[in-house]
Amino acid sequence: MDKILGTADAQGDLEDVISNSQTARLLKPVLNSDLSAGKGDGGPTIVSQSALLPVVGPNGSMADIEENTPASDRISIYVVREGDTLTQIAEMFDVSVDTIIWSNNIKRGSMINSGDILVILPVTGVRYTVKSGDTIDSIAKKFKGDKEEIIKFNDIASGGKLAVGDEIIIPDGEAAYSSSVSSGTLQPVRNTAMPSYSGYYMRPVEGGRKSQGLHGYNGIDLATSCGEPIYASAAGDVIVSRSYGWNGGYGNYLVIAHANGTQTLYAHTSTNIVGGGWHVAKGQVIGYVGSTGKSTGCHVHFEVRGAKNPF
């Protein structure tokens, strides 16, 4: 039914105007050069960890997109679209091409195809400037890295020599800050300045011992027998379940996204019994302890991304 509205004319009198689908005012696009001017009052809604639904307009605005780029410590999933390149995807997630290659077991020179699912796994480690006398072996030993990982990640030819002044990445390397070590996005994430959710996470294995304290992306190692069950530390949705490959040293691993915005990661599993897209309850068995990937014994590497690791 048409609605009668009153509008003021030049003399202040009211003139009846019929408002219907033909006379209704149209929304105007954002013309302000300041992208933030187009933001919705409530911000975008994140759907399934990947899609954005703008609050205003069918297409949202660049302001919505810019403010929702992946956090540096979060693991993301990306489905390759037609025409995508590794360079474009790396720029989108603010990581290096090598990071994507390293964490998805992609051979250099290989093509990615539409529909491929990539895990965007932010790399932890250190950036190092080669000095006189350095070798891959000495650098690996100095920063507690792996020789083969360094060669693969930096695309160093087999038997190739390092040149003084070259910058290389030591994936999962550990070192105190010095003038030769970059403190950029590749540095490990610690508990410092992270929120604490007391009681939210349960221990992912029964018993066992902490064989290594905080390292990598806010992770610890809990050593126990191979084949022991691994439990979901909190309820959530499985976003990654890799049951083969090196996977950046994680070997077989799982990642669960939780309602509080955090993620937990369980690495070096022998078997994963849940898959991507599954919803799991707190305490549910999700896999079994193993020693896959970069591992020297039976244990689970357990990370909390986005909050303090309570263990």
Side-chain angles (χ1 to χ4, degrees):
M1 184 175 179
D2 293 334
K3 184 177 181 180
I4 306 298
L5 300 177
T7 58
D9 61 14
Q11 287 74 34
D13 296 330
L14 292 178
E15 177 184 349
D16 288 337
V17 177
I18 295 179
S19 174
N20 54 36
S21 60
Q22 294 180 334
T23 62
R25 294 180 180 178
L26 297 177
L27 294 175
K28 294 183 179 180
V30 177
L31 301 178
N32 196 321
S33 59
D34 180 6
L35 295 176
S36 63
K39 289 175 57 180
D41 292 337
T45 301
I46 299 178
V47 181
S48 300
Q49 303 297 319
S50 59
L52 293 177
L53 294 180
V55 173
V56 291
N59 297 319
S61 69
M62 285 300 295
D64 293 325
I65 298 171
E66 286 186 347
E67 289 194 350
N68 286 277
T69 51
S72 61
D73 67 335
R74 302 300 198 277
I75 295 168
S76 303
I77 303 296
Y78 183 75
V79 180
V80 177
R81 302 170 299 181
E82 190 69 34
D84 277 345
T85 67
L86 286 176
T87 299
Q88 292 171 333
I89 298 170
E91 290 177 351
M92 184 187 309
F93 287 90
D94 194 25
V95 298
S96 69
V97 171
D98 287 323
T99 294
I100 299 176
I101 289 174
W102 189 65
S103 58
N104 288 277
N105 302 309
I106 299 173
K107 293 183 178 179
R108 292 189 181 277
S110 298
M111 300 291 292
I112 55 173
N113 301 302
S114 178
D116 287 350
I117 298 176
L118 299 178
V119 176
I120 311 300
L121 185 69
V123 171
T124 179
V126 292
R127 181 182 290 110
Y128 178 71
T129 302
V130 176
K131 297 179 180 179
S132 177
D134 280 336
T135 65
I136 296 175
D137 285 314
S138 67
I139 292 172
K141 182 178 180 180
K142 180 177 181 179
F143 296 107
K144 301 180 181 179
D146 181 270
K147 176 181 177 180
E148 296 304 317
E149 286 184 15
I150 296 171
I151 291 173
K152 181 179 178 181
F153 190 89
N154 294 280
D155 197 22
I156 300 172
S158 180
K161 294 183 178 180
L162 299 174
V164 174
D166 283 350
E167 281 197 346
I168 63 172
I169 303 299
I170 300 92
D172 204 28
E174 298 179 21
Y177 180 82
S178 70
S179 60
S180 60
V181 178
S182 168
S183 59
T185 58
L186 292 167
Q187 288 298 325
V189 175
R190 304 298 188 188
N191 269 351
T192 308
M194 288 187 177
S196 177
Y197 297 103
S198 178
Y200 190 86
Y201 308 100
M202 65 172 279
R203 192 178 177 90
V205 293
E206 289 186 6
R209 63 181 178 84
K210 184 189 291 187
S211 57
Q212 189 171 359
L214 284 176
H215 63 288
Y217 264 115
N218 201 32
I220 61 168
D221 290 345
L222 298 171
T224 186
S225 302
C226 278
E228 287 295 308
I230 299 172
Y231 305 101
S233 187
D237 298 316
V238 179
I239 62 171
V240 179
S241 179
R242 289 288 181 90
S243 56
Y244 63 90
W246 180 250
N247 298 317
Y250 283 136
N252 302 341
Y253 76 106
L254 299 124
V255 180
I256 300 175
H258 305 289
N260 64 352
T262 65
Q263 298 174 343
T264 51
L265 180 147
Y266 315 74
H268 311 308
T269 64
S270 62
T271 307
N272 300 340
I273 62 173
V274 295
W278 285 41
H279 181 80
V280 295
K282 184 175 183 177
Q284 179 176 336
V285 177
I286 57 176
Y288 296 95
V289 173
S291 186
T292 56
K294 184 182 178 182
S295 172
T296 57
C298 298
H299 72 282
V300 60
H301 173 78
F302 176 71
E303 297 180 2
V304 180
R305 296 189 175 222
K308 290 185 177 181
N309 192 322
F311 308 110

